[in-house]
Amino acid sequence: FPMLQCWYFHAVPYLLWSTNRFQLAIKLMILLMIEAAFLTFPATSLSSIILQVAHFAVLLPCLSQGPPPLLQASQREKQQ
């Protein structure tokens, strides 16, 4: 299903760079973890764990920082 996965390629770097929680080296390491997990065939328990850890590392900072800046700006415009 290549059409279903095209959003993922662009979303992961965007989500990593939209938070200031990580230094550049850690952001690159998370991207490499995801790439290594996807390149492992057939999938192993270790590659699945690595993929899940990397996804949680991307997701948790995004959830804790609130809405993205563009959404905050549009909400402020609506209030005015």
Side-chain angles (χ1 to χ4, degrees), residues 9-57:
F9 174 76
H10 300 286
V12 171
Y14 172 76
L15 291 173
L16 279 172
W17 267 262
S18 67
T19 180
N20 294 327
R21 301 265 179 154
F22 301 123
Q23 295 177 352
L24 178 62
I26 295 174
K27 291 176 183 179
L28 293 175
M29 183 184 68
I30 291 171
L31 283 175
L32 287 174
M33 288 171 58
I34 292 171
E35 186 69 20
F38 271 112
L39 290 177
T40 302
F41 182 82
T44 63
S45 297
L46 181 60
S47 68
S48 297
I49 290 170
I50 289 172
L51 186 61
Q52 292 301 314
V53 167
H55 282 146
F56 280 118

Side-chain angles (χ1 to χ4, degrees), residues 1-11:
F1 299 106
M3 292 295 286
L4 296 176
Q5 296 173 357
C6 68
W7 65 269
Y8 185 83
F9 174 76
H10 300 286

